[in-house]
Amino acid sequence: MTDTHITLVGAGRMGSALAGGWLKAGHDGNIDIVDPSPAEIVQTWVDSKRVRLNPDPKASDVLVVAVKPQVFGALADEIASRVGPDTRVLSIMAGVTLETLEARLGTPNVARAMPNTPGLVGKGVTILCTKPGTADNAISELKALLEPLGQVEGPIGEDLLPAATAVSGCGPAYGFLLAEVMAAAGVAHGLDLDLSMRLARKTVEGAGALMEGADEDAATLRKNVTSPNGVTQAALEVLMSPEAMPSVFEKAIGAAIARDLALSKETE
Ligand SMILES: NC(=O)c1ccc[n+]([C@@H]2O[C@H](COP(=O)([O-])OP(=O)(O)OC[C@H]3O[C@@H](n4cnc5c(N)ncnc54)[C@H](OP(=O)(O)O)[C@@H]3O)[C@@H](O)[C@H]2O)c1
């Protein structure tokens, strides 16, 4: 695996988190990075000859596309010049379909993945999406490439990627929103804003840490902190009533899926 020659196009937040993990895994000297204005960390890798920056086009074993979807159209020909018949392409761009990748990069060896921002601290979850019939060894190789960002799930078919994106790709924002609305509710009931924000934020962080270390599923963890007829139960009866969080979340995920599908059309 460490002999694999990787080209990374776009060394922004996600791209550099991936490349940092590949270097930790021993890929020194086997990584080409294409980025017109590399971040400081990338420049330190270039200076210490751990990666090559903007080399002349050459086909690599794996090419990872981590630029914003909006710039992909203009860049596709340049990226295609780095793709050979045996190159496996992995895109983490939101909304750019396998069909578009295949057509613009001139290879059937394409896969997609949707990471999320906790990946920047190695605590993300990334869903891999491959074409039907992708070989097991190719899937293992793609999963290993994504592991620097945290857990890797899948592969799933592309038809389910918008739903997975709406849950885990967008999900960190829902967690942050939870802290925000909990804090605002505390303020509405008399707490000082800063104190309420600290209480809400630490509570969301702590619940995440508890869940990370637990074998139980989320529903069991919730039940474990809910005494019958207690204070938590009173709040949950409001939050879990059918017209509250269950239907609001179903609608929110539906809206995210619709937007994802619309964005895919725009990047065709
Ligand atoms: N962040 C997330 O939570 C998340 C989640 C899921 C998927 N994604 C996907 O991951 C991809 C990267 O996201 P990100 O947050 O890492 O974005 P980012 O920090 O903006 O990284 C994109 C990188 O590509 C570079 N770039 C721009 N033009 C280029 C060119 N012509 N050739 C090579 N590189 C070029 C950018 O350079 P400049 O800064 O100089 O423009 C930047 O370093 C996006 O497609 C996004 O949809 C992100």
Side-chain angles (χ1 to χ4, degrees):
M1 176 68 198
T2 47
D3 292 338
T4 307
H5 177 201
I6 308 170
T7 296
L8 169 69
V9 183
R13 296 176 331 140
M14 285 290 168
S16 343
L18 281 168
W22 302 333
L23 288 172
K24 267 194 206 138
H27 281 277
D28 286 70
N30 254 334
I31 302 174
D32 289 352
I33 291 183
V34 181
D35 194 311
S37 51
E40 213 171 298
I41 180 75
V42 175
Q43 197 56 55
T44 64
W45 298 332
V46 176
D47 293 344
S48 53
K49 303 207 174 345
R50 302 187 74 193
V51 306
R52 284 172 297 271
L53 183 66
N54 300 322
D56 289 338
K58 178 180 162 215
S60 55
D61 299 319
V62 181
L63 183 138
V64 177
V65 188
V67 294
K68 295 277 190 211
Q70 299 85 326
V71 303
F72 174 70
L75 267 184
D77 290 344
E78 136 78 1
I79 300 175
S81 71
R82 299 175 187 275
V83 173
D86 298 323
T87 304
R88 188 161 295 289
V89 174
L90 174 62
S91 159
I92 65 163
M93 294 180 291
V96 180
T97 62
L98 291 171
E99 195 183 349
T100 299
L101 289 168
E102 201 167 323
R104 297 302 312 270
L105 302 182
T107 176
N109 298 328
V110 292
R112 295 177 62 189
M114 178 49 58
N116 64 6
T117 44
L120 300 174
V121 292
K123 298 251 180 203
V125 58
T126 303
I127 182 84
L128 176 64
C129 159
T130 53
K131 287 166 60 173
T134 303
D136 287 349
N137 65 335
I139 289 170
S140 306
E141 189 181 38
L142 292 168
K143 285 188 159 185
L145 279 173
L146 293 163
E147 270 165 11
L149 301 178
Q151 191 169 321
V152 185
E153 292 287 341
I156 57 171
E158 196 169 32
D159 54 329
L160 288 175
L161 197 57
T165 299
V167 172
S168 62
C170 311
Y174 313 152
F176 303 140
L177 174 67
L178 184 61
E180 278 179 75
V181 294
M182 277 166 63
V187 171
H189 289 278
L191 287 177
D192 164 79
L193 173 64
D194 286 344
L195 173 64
S196 197
M197 195 63 230
R198 287 198 300 278
L199 293 176
R201 180 185 174 130
K202 273 286 158 201
T203 301
V204 173
E205 282 177 31
L210 260 184
M211 189 153 62
E212 187 180 20
D215 293 328
E216 298 91 337
D217 61 18
T220 306
L221 291 171
R222 170 178 54 74
K223 285 176 196 147
N224 289 348
V225 293
T226 311
S227 317
N229 291 321
V231 181
T232 308
Q233 184 177 324
L236 288 177
E237 276 170 9
V238 175
L239 292 171
M240 295 176 68
S241 68
E243 71 285 2
M245 281 185 91
S247 65
V248 167
F249 256 85
E250 202 177 312
K251 259 191 244 158
I253 298 290
I257 292 171
R259 184 69 189 128
D260 187 280
L261 293 172
L263 284 173
S264 296
K265 292 251 171 299
E266 283 171 25
T267 51
E268 261 172 19

